[in-house]
Amino acid sequence: MLAVTVALFAAVGLVPVLRLADAALRPAGVFDAAPFLAEIATRRAALALRHSLETCLLGGFGALVIGGLVALAAALTDVRAVRPIAFLYVLSMLMAPQVTALAFLTATGPSSPLLNSLGLAPAPGSANPLTGPAGIIALLALHHSPLVFILLRTGLASIPGDVIEAARISGARPTRIARTIVLPLMRPYLAAAAALAFVACVGNFGIPALLGISVNYLTLPTLIYVEISSGGPAVLADMAALSVVMAVMTLAGLAVAGLVAPGRATRIAPGAGLGRPFRLGSWRLPVEAALWLLVAIVFVLPVASLVTTALVPAYGVALTSTTLTLDNFVEVLARQKVTVRALVNSGLYAGLAAALLALAAIPAAHVLERRGGRLKAIAETLIELPYALPGIVLAVATILLFLKPLPLVGVSLYATPAIIVVAYLIRFATVALKAPAAAMAQLPTDIEEAARIAGAGYARRLWTIVAPLIAPAAVAGALAVFLTAFNELTVSALLWSAGTETLGVVMFNLEDGGYATLAAAVAVVSIGVIAVAMIGLDLCASRLPRRVVPWR
């Protein structure tokens, strides 16, 4: 059973990467690096690589600063309402990147319905300040800062409180405690957070697509999208070469994160939690105001802009009692077949992938925890690989894998709904496994041992004892998959075809076609669905292992 599980994980994690490398380095079936080197040396590829590096390095640094400050305030100080702040802050990250980009696009510029309603719109004809590299960097920093917040807050929570208390009893001031105790213990987390923020920025497609393509500022993901959209399968070999470059950038970032992983940190004895030891005194109110201002910028402003845009009859019209209309929602939810179909498709694809992965996660978590041994870490690394790769890279690899008919059955998955579901299964397998694996690690072996002595076979023990106990965690994992997959764009942007559109694709196409009000209505609907799923996950939190729900 262990060998089968590891082999399955290896197939899921390694096959897409190997197929990509094969297409890039063996375009004619024999090793030939010349086409690969020629493609990455082209001016457009070099320019896109430079754009990717400058936006991702600066965006990742901005995310580290913002997320780090929020984590320090939430974990170490006595600010109030940490839970709702964390919930809304993390919710902003779960909004798809293209939704975030659309929201800020409609919140700025001379045609902004929100600014026009407030009388603050720039002069007609002026350019939107967010299009171009500065806007991309700013939104990358804001969008990925909650990722840094989650990681650093976890690290701060792991610092024993008695270490801080001992320093305080010795007379150390908060600034000295932070400089001499907290910062040294947090260095591995800081380095890992910086590397992961960079990797997240590399894989981001939605933000550079909406803010960069219109002004011809292309990063590697948007260059691959533009080339395949115009050239089709004929340019797959060239795009495989660029995908390999992106994969190398991502794996380099992950390698750095692995080398400085918290597990390699200075060993400290476990103890009581940190318990938010610092009192801000007169600074508490300003810090709380700053946190709520950040929440307003990353969540309230985008949502308000999308809602305002969705409620006016045309982009650029101010929202008043006479212009307010629900026609855009009626149009996307009832009249336009493509948006209704995309809503159904996204729910069906994300729901099917979530259900299948939840069922598979229970035996996989059991096998890894009970029989994994030294192979457990290898198997977990393999299953995380497709999620770590940029979605556009995985999409190219999936096309290469399933472009030709499958052996034996002679059926091709290309341009069918199945290829999107398969891509979701590959990409989000690790997301579904996290919570069941954590629950399985806390499950004592006594009950299973008693059942085994009583004569119960492996399958019976698994489905009558283990499965009911870790089912809530499996459901939480499924919800996390659904949250991530429902309005994603990076994978489905290259895999969709007529009739298999997803919500992310339709929203992107509506915005690209100039139908900003309809795109905003679609975005508002998607945020509503995600918020309902998050509330459901929050309600399940008391029955889940600690830290499974990231905003708690």
Side-chain angles (χ1 to χ4, degrees), residues 233-277:
V235 300
L236 273 178
D238 293 341
M239 295 307 103
L242 299 183
S243 299
V244 167
V245 174
M246 286 189 64
V248 169
M249 290 172 60
T250 302
L251 295 178
L254 292 176
V256 172
L259 289 174
V260 296
R264 296 171 179 264
T266 304
R267 301 290 180 186
I268 51 178
L274 200 54
R276 302 169 66 190

mmCIF file of all heavy atoms in Angstrom, residues 233-277:
data_model
loop_
_atom_site.group_PDB
_atom_site.id
_atom_site.type_symbol
_atom_site.label_atom_id
_atom_site.label_comp_id
_atom_site.label_asym_id
_atom_site.label_seq_id
_atom_site.Cartn_x
_atom_site.Cartn_y
_atom_site.Cartn_z
ATOM 1 N N PRO A 233 -1.474 25.085 -30.305
ATOM 2 C CA PRO A 233 -0.528 24.004 -29.996
ATOM 3 C C PRO A 233 0.771 24.095 -30.791
ATOM 4 O O PRO A 233 1.777 23.505 -30.391
ATOM 5 C CB PRO A 233 -1.317 22.742 -30.371
ATOM 6 C CG PRO A 233 -2.751 23.131 -30.253
ATOM 7 C CD PRO A 233 -2.800 24.574 -30.680
ATOM 8 N N ALA A 234 0.800 24.840 -31.912
ATOM 9 C CA ALA A 234 2.016 24.911 -32.728
ATOM 10 C C ALA A 234 3.185 25.548 -31.985
ATOM 11 O O ALA A 234 4.348 25.318 -32.328
ATOM 12 C CB ALA A 234 1.725 25.703 -34.006
ATOM 13 N N VAL A 235 2.905 26.368 -30.970
ATOM 14 C CA VAL A 235 3.991 27.045 -30.243
ATOM 15 C C VAL A 235 4.251 26.397 -28.888
ATOM 16 O O VAL A 235 4.967 26.967 -28.063
ATOM 17 C CB VAL A 235 3.663 28.545 -30.057
ATOM 18 C CG1 VAL A 235 3.500 29.237 -31.388
ATOM 19 C CG2 VAL A 235 2.413 28.723 -29.197
ATOM 20 N N LEU A 236 3.705 25.216 -28.668
ATOM 21 C CA LEU A 236 3.840 24.584 -27.356
ATOM 22 C C LEU A 236 5.303 24.314 -26.992
ATOM 23 O O LEU A 236 5.706 24.463 -25.840
ATOM 24 C CB LEU A 236 3.048 23.277 -27.316
ATOM 25 C CG LEU A 236 1.575 23.395 -26.914
ATOM 26 C CD1 LEU A 236 0.902 22.041 -26.968
ATOM 27 C CD2 LEU A 236 1.448 23.991 -25.515
ATOM 28 N N ALA A 237 6.106 23.886 -27.973
ATOM 29 C CA ALA A 237 7.511 23.582 -27.677
ATOM 30 C C ALA A 237 8.248 24.831 -27.212
ATOM 31 O O ALA A 237 9.018 24.794 -26.239
ATOM 32 C CB ALA A 237 8.191 22.989 -28.913
ATOM 33 N N ASP A 238 8.008 25.969 -27.899
ATOM 34 C CA ASP A 238 8.647 27.217 -27.490
ATOM 35 C C ASP A 238 8.176 27.645 -26.099
ATOM 36 O O ASP A 238 8.960 28.090 -25.262
ATOM 37 C CB ASP A 238 8.336 28.330 -28.499
ATOM 38 C CG ASP A 238 8.990 28.064 -29.850
ATOM 39 O OD1 ASP A 238 9.937 27.258 -29.896
ATOM 40 O OD2 ASP A 238 8.531 28.650 -30.851
ATOM 41 N N MET A 239 6.872 27.501 -25.858
ATOM 42 C CA MET A 239 6.351 27.907 -24.555
ATOM 43 C C MET A 239 6.781 26.951 -23.448
ATOM 44 O O MET A 239 6.869 27.330 -22.278
ATOM 45 C CB MET A 239 4.819 27.989 -24.613
ATOM 46 C CG MET A 239 4.317 29.079 -25.557
ATOM 47 S SD MET A 239 5.043 30.717 -25.189
ATOM 48 C CE MET A 239 6.276 30.857 -26.499
ATOM 49 N N ALA A 240 7.046 25.693 -23.829
ATOM 50 C CA ALA A 240 7.597 24.757 -22.834
ATOM 51 C C ALA A 240 8.957 25.242 -22.356
ATOM 52 O O ALA A 240 9.301 25.103 -21.171
ATOM 53 C CB ALA A 240 7.702 23.358 -23.441
ATOM 54 N N ALA A 241 9.740 25.831 -23.269
ATOM 55 C CA ALA A 241 11.057 26.361 -22.878
ATOM 56 C C ALA A 241 10.886 27.497 -21.856
ATOM 57 O O ALA A 241 11.586 27.538 -20.836
ATOM 58 C CB ALA A 241 11.798 26.864 -24.117
ATOM 59 N N LEU A 242 9.947 28.415 -22.113
ATOM 60 C CA LEU A 242 9.715 29.498 -21.150
ATOM 61 C C LEU A 242 9.139 28.964 -19.844
ATOM 62 O O LEU A 242 9.448 29.480 -18.759
ATOM 63 C CB LEU A 242 8.760 30.531 -21.759
ATOM 64 C CG LEU A 242 9.239 31.238 -23.034
ATOM 65 C CD1 LEU A 242 8.231 32.282 -23.483
ATOM 66 C CD2 LEU A 242 10.597 31.886 -22.792
ATOM 67 N N SER A 243 8.315 27.913 -19.955
ATOM 68 C CA SER A 243 7.759 27.307 -18.737
ATOM 69 C C SER A 243 8.858 26.692 -17.896
ATOM 70 O O SER A 243 8.810 26.739 -16.656
ATOM 71 C CB SER A 243 6.719 26.239 -19.111
ATOM 72 O OG SER A 243 5.649 26.810 -19.843
ATOM 73 N N VAL A 244 9.852 26.097 -18.547
ATOM 74 C CA VAL A 244 10.979 25.527 -17.801
ATOM 75 C C VAL A 244 11.724 26.637 -17.053
ATOM 76 O O VAL A 244 12.134 26.453 -15.904
ATOM 77 C CB VAL A 244 11.931 24.773 -18.762
ATOM 78 C CG1 VAL A 244 13.250 24.450 -18.066
ATOM 79 C CG2 VAL A 244 11.268 23.492 -19.246
ATOM 80 N N VAL A 245 11.888 27.792 -17.690
ATOM 81 C CA VAL A 245 12.546 28.918 -17.016
ATOM 82 C C VAL A 245 11.756 29.328 -15.771
ATOM 83 O O VAL A 245 12.318 29.555 -14.689
ATOM 84 C CB VAL A 245 12.685 30.113 -17.980
ATOM 85 C CG1 VAL A 245 13.238 31.333 -17.246
ATOM 86 C CG2 VAL A 245 13.600 29.749 -19.143
ATOM 87 N N MET A 246 10.424 29.406 -15.913
ATOM 88 C CA MET A 246 9.591 29.750 -14.760
ATOM 89 C C MET A 246 9.685 28.689 -13.676
ATOM 90 O O MET A 246 9.734 28.998 -12.470
ATOM 91 C CB MET A 246 8.130 29.909 -15.200
ATOM 92 C CG MET A 246 7.834 31.171 -15.973
ATOM 93 S SD MET A 246 6.069 31.381 -16.218
ATOM 94 C CE MET A 246 5.495 31.587 -14.547
ATOM 95 N N ALA A 247 9.705 27.420 -14.102
ATOM 96 C CA ALA A 247 9.807 26.333 -13.121
ATOM 97 C C ALA A 247 11.132 26.419 -12.367
ATOM 98 O O ALA A 247 11.179 26.209 -11.151
ATOM 99 C CB ALA A 247 9.682 24.985 -13.830
ATOM 100 N N VAL A 248 12.200 26.756 -13.081
ATOM 101 C CA VAL A 248 13.512 26.888 -12.423
ATOM 102 C C VAL A 248 13.484 28.035 -11.407
ATOM 103 O O VAL A 248 13.995 27.914 -10.292
ATOM 104 C CB VAL A 248 14.616 27.110 -13.480
ATOM 105 C CG1 VAL A 248 15.931 27.514 -12.804
ATOM 106 C CG2 VAL A 248 14.816 25.851 -14.308
ATOM 107 N N MET A 249 12.880 29.170 -11.778
ATOM 108 C CA MET A 249 12.765 30.289 -10.838
ATOM 109 C C MET A 249 11.989 29.864 -9.591
ATOM 110 O O MET A 249 12.369 30.176 -8.457
ATOM 111 C CB MET A 249 12.049 31.465 -11.508
ATOM 112 C CG MET A 249 12.858 32.164 -12.597
ATOM 113 S SD MET A 249 11.877 33.384 -13.516
ATOM 114 C CE MET A 249 11.396 34.515 -12.214
ATOM 115 N N THR A 250 10.892 29.142 -9.808
ATOM 116 C CA THR A 250 10.066 28.707 -8.684
ATOM 117 C C THR A 250 10.816 27.730 -7.800
ATOM 118 O O THR A 250 10.822 27.858 -6.567
ATOM 119 C CB THR A 250 8.783 28.049 -9.215
ATOM 120 O OG1 THR A 250 8.092 28.985 -10.036
ATOM 121 C CG2 THR A 250 7.887 27.622 -8.070
ATOM 122 N N LEU A 251 11.452 26.736 -8.424
ATOM 123 C CA LEU A 251 12.163 25.731 -7.635
ATOM 124 C C LEU A 251 13.352 26.342 -6.901
ATOM 125 O O LEU A 251 13.691 25.911 -5.800
ATOM 126 C CB LEU A 251 12.622 24.591 -8.548
ATOM 127 C CG LEU A 251 11.478 23.786 -9.182
ATOM 128 C CD1 LEU A 251 12.027 22.712 -10.107
ATOM 129 C CD2 LEU A 251 10.607 23.157 -8.099
ATOM 130 N N ALA A 252 13.980 27.365 -7.503
ATOM 131 C CA ALA A 252 15.076 28.052 -6.809
ATOM 132 C C ALA A 252 14.550 28.755 -5.554
ATOM 133 O O ALA A 252 15.171 28.696 -4.484
ATOM 134 C CB ALA A 252 15.730 29.060 -7.746
ATOM 135 N N GLY A 253 13.396 29.408 -5.696
ATOM 136 C CA GLY A 253 12.792 30.048 -4.525
ATOM 137 C C GLY A 253 12.420 29.042 -3.452
ATOM 138 O O GLY A 253 12.652 29.260 -2.256
ATOM 139 N N LEU A 254 11.865 27.887 -3.867
ATOM 140 C CA LEU A 254 11.500 26.849 -2.903
ATOM 141 C C LEU A 254 12.734 26.241 -2.251
ATOM 142 O O LEU A 254 12.714 25.879 -1.072
ATOM 143 C CB LEU A 254 10.686 25.759 -3.605
ATOM 144 C CG LEU A 254 9.296 26.169 -4.074
ATOM 145 C CD1 LEU A 254 8.634 25.030 -4.833
ATOM 146 C CD2 LEU A 254 8.437 26.558 -2.869
ATOM 147 N N ALA A 255 13.815 26.122 -3.034
ATOM 148 C CA ALA A 255 15.050 25.578 -2.461
ATOM 149 C C ALA A 255 15.579 26.492 -1.365
ATOM 150 O O ALA A 255 16.025 26.039 -0.307
ATOM 151 C CB ALA A 255 16.095 25.403 -3.567
ATOM 152 N N VAL A 256 15.519 27.803 -1.619
ATOM 153 C CA VAL A 256 15.939 28.757 -0.592
ATOM 154 C C VAL A 256 15.055 28.623 0.645
ATOM 155 O O VAL A 256 15.546 28.589 1.791
ATOM 156 C CB VAL A 256 15.874 30.199 -1.139
ATOM 157 C CG1 VAL A 256 16.118 31.210 -0.019
ATOM 158 C CG2 VAL A 256 16.902 30.380 -2.241
ATOM 159 N N ALA A 257 13.739 28.521 0.413
ATOM 160 C CA ALA A 257 12.822 28.361 1.549
ATOM 161 C C ALA A 257 13.119 27.079 2.311
ATOM 162 O O ALA A 257 13.041 27.041 3.544
ATOM 163 C CB ALA A 257 11.376 28.363 1.050
ATOM 164 N N GLY A 258 13.467 26.002 1.570
ATOM 165 C CA GLY A 258 13.771 24.736 2.225
ATOM 166 C C GLY A 258 15.055 24.793 3.039
ATOM 167 O O GLY A 258 15.140 24.241 4.128
ATOM 168 N N LEU A 259 16.055 25.507 2.513
ATOM 169 C CA LEU A 259 17.335 25.593 3.217
ATOM 170 C C LEU A 259 17.225 26.367 4.518
ATOM 171 O O LEU A 259 17.985 26.134 5.461
ATOM 172 C CB LEU A 259 18.383 26.262 2.314
ATOM 173 C CG LEU A 259 18.868 25.415 1.131
ATOM 174 C CD1 LEU A 259 19.780 26.239 0.224
ATOM 175 C CD2 LEU A 259 19.611 24.181 1.641
ATOM 176 N N VAL A 260 16.296 27.320 4.555
ATOM 177 C CA VAL A 260 16.136 28.129 5.772
ATOM 178 C C VAL A 260 14.823 27.801 6.470
ATOM 179 O O VAL A 260 14.307 28.614 7.226
ATOM 180 C CB VAL A 260 16.183 29.626 5.433
ATOM 181 C CG1 VAL A 260 17.531 30.005 4.881
ATOM 182 C CG2 VAL A 260 15.081 29.995 4.432
ATOM 183 N N ALA A 261 14.302 26.594 6.213
ATOM 184 C CA ALA A 261 12.998 26.232 6.759
ATOM 185 C C ALA A 261 13.007 26.298 8.278
ATOM 186 O O ALA A 261 14.045 26.096 8.912
ATOM 187 C CB ALA A 261 12.632 24.821 6.319
ATOM 188 N N PRO A 262 11.837 26.576 8.888
ATOM 189 C CA PRO A 262 11.770 26.650 10.342
ATOM 190 C C PRO A 262 12.282 25.395 11.029
ATOM 191 O O PRO A 262 12.764 25.454 12.147
ATOM 192 C CB PRO A 262 10.263 26.851 10.594
ATOM 193 C CG PRO A 262 9.785 27.565 9.372
ATOM 194 C CD PRO A 262 10.589 26.991 8.245
ATOM 195 N N GLY A 263 12.192 24.241 10.348
ATOM 196 C CA GLY A 263 12.676 23.012 10.964
ATOM 197 C C GLY A 263 14.166 23.041 11.200
ATOM 198 O O GLY A 263 14.708 22.273 11.999
ATOM 199 N N ARG A 264 14.885 23.907 10.455
ATOM 200 C CA ARG A 264 16.323 24.026 10.653
ATOM 201 C C ARG A 264 16.676 25.139 11.641
ATOM 202 O O ARG A 264 17.826 25.483 11.806
ATOM 203 C CB ARG A 264 17.000 24.321 9.303
ATOM 204 C CG ARG A 264 16.840 23.198 8.297
ATOM 205 C CD ARG A 264 17.331 23.625 6.945
ATOM 206 N NE ARG A 264 17.198 22.555 5.976
ATOM 207 C CZ ARG A 264 18.173 21.730 5.646
ATOM 208 N NH1 ARG A 264 19.339 21.858 6.194
ATOM 209 N NH2 ARG A 264 17.981 20.761 4.763
ATOM 210 N N ALA A 265 15.649 25.712 12.249
ATOM 211 C CA ALA A 265 15.897 26.839 13.143
ATOM 212 C C ALA A 265 16.560 26.379 14.432
ATOM 213 O O ALA A 265 16.679 25.201 14.718
ATOM 214 C CB ALA A 265 14.581 27.544 13.469
ATOM 215 N N THR A 266 16.978 27.371 15.214
ATOM 216 C CA THR A 266 17.533 27.081 16.524
ATOM 217 C C THR A 266 16.519 26.311 17.346
ATOM 218 O O THR A 266 15.356 26.689 17.438
ATOM 219 C CB THR A 266 17.875 28.402 17.230
ATOM 220 O OG1 THR A 266 18.760 29.138 16.400
ATOM 221 C CG2 THR A 266 18.515 28.128 18.572
ATOM 222 N N ARG A 267 16.943 25.204 17.924
ATOM 223 C CA ARG A 267 16.036 24.382 18.702
ATOM 224 C C ARG A 267 15.731 25.047 20.035
ATOM 225 O O ARG A 267 16.633 25.460 20.759
ATOM 226 C CB ARG A 267 16.654 23.005 18.949
ATOM 227 C CG ARG A 267 16.979 22.257 17.665
ATOM 228 C CD ARG A 267 15.707 21.819 16.959
ATOM 229 N NE ARG A 267 16.029 21.100 15.732
ATOM 230 C CZ ARG A 267 15.123 20.689 14.851
ATOM 231 N NH1 ARG A 267 13.858 20.948 15.069
ATOM 232 N NH2 ARG A 267 15.489 20.041 13.767
ATOM 233 N N ILE A 268 14.486 25.152 20.365
ATOM 234 C CA ILE A 268 14.094 25.727 21.647
ATOM 235 C C ILE A 268 13.107 24.783 22.293
ATOM 236 O O ILE A 268 12.328 24.103 21.606
ATOM 237 C CB ILE A 268 13.460 27.118 21.487
ATOM 238 C CG1 ILE A 268 12.345 27.077 20.441
ATOM 239 C CG2 ILE A 268 14.501 28.142 21.102
ATOM 240 C CD1 ILE A 268 11.637 28.400 20.272
ATOM 241 N N ALA A 269 13.137 24.713 23.599
ATOM 242 C CA ALA A 269 12.246 23.803 24.303
ATOM 243 C C ALA A 269 10.819 24.292 24.201
ATOM 244 O O ALA A 269 10.565 25.495 24.310
ATOM 245 C CB ALA A 269 12.670 23.712 25.766
ATOM 246 N N PRO A 270 9.842 23.371 24.013
ATOM 247 C CA PRO A 270 8.454 23.797 23.957
ATOM 248 C C PRO A 270 7.992 24.308 25.313
ATOM 249 O O PRO A 270 8.472 23.878 26.358
ATOM 250 C CB PRO A 270 7.722 22.508 23.561
ATOM 251 C CG PRO A 270 8.618 21.398 24.006
ATOM 252 C CD PRO A 270 10.006 21.918 23.853
ATOM 253 N N GLY A 271 7.058 25.188 25.287
ATOM 254 C CA GLY A 271 6.527 25.731 26.527
ATOM 255 C C GLY A 271 5.189 26.369 26.266
ATOM 256 O O GLY A 271 4.564 26.149 25.228
ATOM 257 N N ALA A 272 4.739 27.197 27.206
ATOM 258 C CA ALA A 272 3.470 27.875 27.025
ATOM 259 C C ALA A 272 3.577 28.868 25.873
ATOM 260 O O ALA A 272 4.664 29.323 25.524
ATOM 261 C CB ALA A 272 3.117 28.602 28.318
ATOM 262 N N GLY A 273 2.441 29.186 25.265
ATOM 263 C CA GLY A 273 2.437 30.088 24.126
ATOM 264 C C GLY A 273 2.918 31.479 24.498
ATOM 265 O O GLY A 273 3.035 31.855 25.679
ATOM 266 N N LEU A 274 3.180 32.259 23.447
ATOM 267 C CA LEU A 274 3.722 33.592 23.659
ATOM 268 C C LEU A 274 2.723 34.505 24.372
ATOM 269 O O LEU A 274 3.089 35.307 25.213
ATOM 270 C CB LEU A 274 4.098 34.182 22.296
ATOM 271 C CG LEU A 274 5.072 35.330 22.267
ATOM 272 C CD1 LEU A 274 6.340 34.981 23.005
ATOM 273 C CD2 LEU A 274 5.393 35.690 20.822
ATOM 274 N N GLY A 275 1.455 34.385 23.997
ATOM 275 C CA GLY A 275 0.404 35.086 24.730
ATOM 276 C C GLY A 275 0.378 36.589 24.553
ATOM 277 O O GLY A 275 -0.061 37.292 25.452
ATOM 278 N N ARG A 276 0.848 37.138 23.406
ATOM 279 C CA ARG A 276 0.771 38.567 23.092
ATOM 280 C C ARG A 276 1.270 39.404 24.260
ATOM 281 O O ARG A 276 0.507 40.085 24.937
ATOM 282 C CB ARG A 276 -0.659 38.926 22.712
ATOM 283 C CG ARG A 276 -1.176 38.109 21.523
ATOM 284 C CD ARG A 276 -2.647 38.277 21.313
ATOM 285 N NE ARG A 276 -2.974 39.621 20.914
ATOM 286 C CZ ARG A 276 -4.214 40.099 20.854
ATOM 287 N NH1 ARG A 276 -5.228 39.309 21.204
ATOM 288 N NH2 ARG A 276 -4.429 41.319 20.475
ATOM 289 N N PRO A 277 2.569 39.387 24.528
ATOM 290 C CA PRO A 277 3.104 39.931 25.785
ATOM 291 C C PRO A 277 3.218 41.444 25.846
ATOM 292 O O PRO A 277 3.389 41.997 26.927
ATOM 293 C CB PRO A 277 4.491 39.289 25.854
ATOM 294 C CG PRO A 277 4.883 39.084 24.425
ATOM 295 C CD PRO A 277 3.615 38.777 23.692
#
